[in-house]
Amino acid sequence: MNESITVLNWNLEKGINLEAGARWAQEQRPDIFFQQEVQPDQLARVSELLDMDGHIAVPRPGSSNDNAIFVRRDGPLVCTEEYPQAWAPWHAPANLAVRLRDADGTLSPRQISAVSMHTCYWSPEHRLTESRWCTTLAQPGWLAVIFGDWNSYRVGTDIRWDDYTDHAFVANRTYDCAGRRHTDVRPDRELLAAGYVEMARHAAEHLDQPEALAPSSGYRDHPGRPKGPRYCIDRGYLSAELAPALTSFTVCDSPELRRLSDHLPLRAEFDFAQMRTILHRSAAMYQPHDNRHAASVRGRHPAAAGGAA
């Protein structure tokens, strides 16, 4: 019987160190793996190396660094639907519905919207739009787990932008308001306003794991930027109802992982029994009222399928 559910997230830099990165991820035995910067021809190879079923987002013009989600075969989570998100202004999010599999093979009545994000590195306005789309999955009774490279910061982050001579980077990571540049924390603010819980914060504040707030990026030297890791732009969010099931959150760090990517992997552990209780709990939620399709859409999230209710 499963005791825990292992969730992994990693922006594996442009898929360059694909083989070594996938081998490390496979050793962690994730039940679901959220990945960013997957190249279009890599999905089958990563799926093979992980022995997981891969789902890649709709490709968008402008970049080949796509988002993907991998689900362990015969694991505790089952992908029941996949939603293309072609509306995205930059990278489309990968978006699945997953349900929990019981020992007898039956699936949970409630589902989780699983989302892998990589928000736009050069536009704070796009990032705000992308984060606002995530809020459509936070409606009452719905459940979501969202991981991504947010290219922005936590609320309360204090950055001395005068220390940067890379002015393009400053312009990318800040936004103008009343003639002043402000550190872009708006995606985090939007998600928190919608009721999501950031996993690292929750682990630090409620699970006695302050190391969960460790930096996740900055492992490459760039001219015009201070050296060394400073901030966590890779973050995971979940519906508040799921927070009691979170048992640990780790920013995985080693010299080898720093060599493989400019981002570190994130690992979350969930208690299986608590997840089962939540996913079998009844909840009042919006459902479409078209009787002609009631049987086929029962349990689906209209916003996850592409349109907000």
Side-chain angles (χ1 to χ4, degrees):
M1 180 68 178
N2 296 293
E3 295 184 358
S4 65
I5 296 171
T6 299
V7 181
L8 201 65
N9 178 83
W10 198 4
N11 180 341
L12 187 56
E13 186 180 11
K14 301 185 187 302
I16 295 170
N17 294 306
L18 172 70
E19 301 276 333
R23 281 196 296 272
W24 180 88
Q26 194 276 335
E27 291 169 358
Q28 310 309 304
R29 293 290 294 158
D31 295 302
I32 187 168
F33 176 32
F34 298 72
Q35 187 178 348
Q36 296 83 47
E37 299 199 9
V38 180
Q39 303 306 299
D41 60 346
Q42 292 181 340
L43 184 70
R45 181 57 178 153
V46 178
S47 298
E48 177 186 10
L49 289 167
L50 295 172
D51 192 24
M52 301 175 79
D53 292 323
H55 307 266
I56 200 163
V58 174
R60 301 290 296 144
S63 176
S64 60
N65 294 328
D66 291 322
N67 299 300
I69 301 176
F70 300 85
V71 181
R72 183 156 69 88
R73 296 165 188 157
D74 300 320
L77 298 175
V78 178
C79 173
T80 53
E81 294 193 67
E82 184 171 0
Y83 306 112
Q85 301 295 350
W87 59 266
W90 184 236
H91 299 304
N95 180 198
L96 309 179
V98 296
R99 296 177 188 264
L100 194 65
R101 189 196 331 250
D102 266 335
D104 62 0
T106 60
L107 301 183
S108 61
R110 297 177 71 185
Q111 67 183 35
I112 297 173
S113 290
V115 180
S116 178
M117 299 284 292
H118 189 304
T119 65
C120 185
Y121 77 89
W122 49 264
S123 171
E125 285 71 31
H126 282 351
R127 290 194 293 270
L128 190 56
T129 296
E130 290 161 330
S131 61
R132 282 176 172 163
W133 171 78
C134 292
T135 70
T136 68
L137 304 179
Q139 300 195 42
W142 295 7
L143 301 171
V145 172
I146 305 170
F147 275 96
D149 173 355
W150 298 92
N151 281 313
S152 56
Y153 307 95
R154 290 187 178 105
V155 170
T157 301
D158 183 20
I159 300 178
R160 293 176 54 88
W161 293 110
D162 290 344
D163 294 340
Y164 292 73
T165 58
D166 182 350
H167 298 299
F169 182 78
V170 174
N172 295 158
R173 293 296 178 87
T174 63
Y175 63 94
D176 180 84
C177 182
R180 292 182 54 201
R181 305 299 302 184
H182 297 266
T183 299
D184 189 15
V185 299
R186 293 185 300 178
D188 185 47
R189 183 179 290 126
E190 289 294 307
L191 293 168
L192 297 178
Y196 287 116
V197 171
E198 198 227 321
M199 297 181 209
R201 277 193 191 95
H202 181 83
E205 295 172 2
H206 301 285
L207 303 177
D208 194 26
Q209 298 172 10
E211 66 280 2
L213 296 170
S216 68
S217 62
Y219 299 95
R220 298 287 186 272
D221 289 336
H222 294 273
R225 306 182 202 174
K227 295 183 182 299
R230 290 175 171 239
Y231 307 107
C232 188
I233 64 172
D234 306 276
R235 297 187 297 277
Y237 297 83
L238 47 68
S239 303
E241 192 177 352
L242 294 172
L246 182 69
T247 59
S248 70
F249 188 89
T250 307
V251 180
C252 305
D253 195 358
S254 72
E256 175 67 3
L257 292 172
R258 294 188 184 197
R259 183 187 69 81
L260 292 177
S261 181
D262 56 345
H263 295 255
L264 293 177
L266 309 178
R267 179 187 174 108
E269 295 285 340
F270 293 87
D271 181 81
F272 181 89
Q274 288 219 49
M275 287 288 279
R276 186 188 185 280
T277 296
I278 295 165
L279 288 169
H280 282 262
R281 180 185 298 154
S282 62
M285 65 183 74
Y286 170 81
Q287 296 289 354
H289 293 291
D290 186 342
N291 293 330
R292 295 171 300 172
H293 304 291
S296 64
V297 300
R298 188 172 294 114
R300 288 181 57 180
H301 295 174

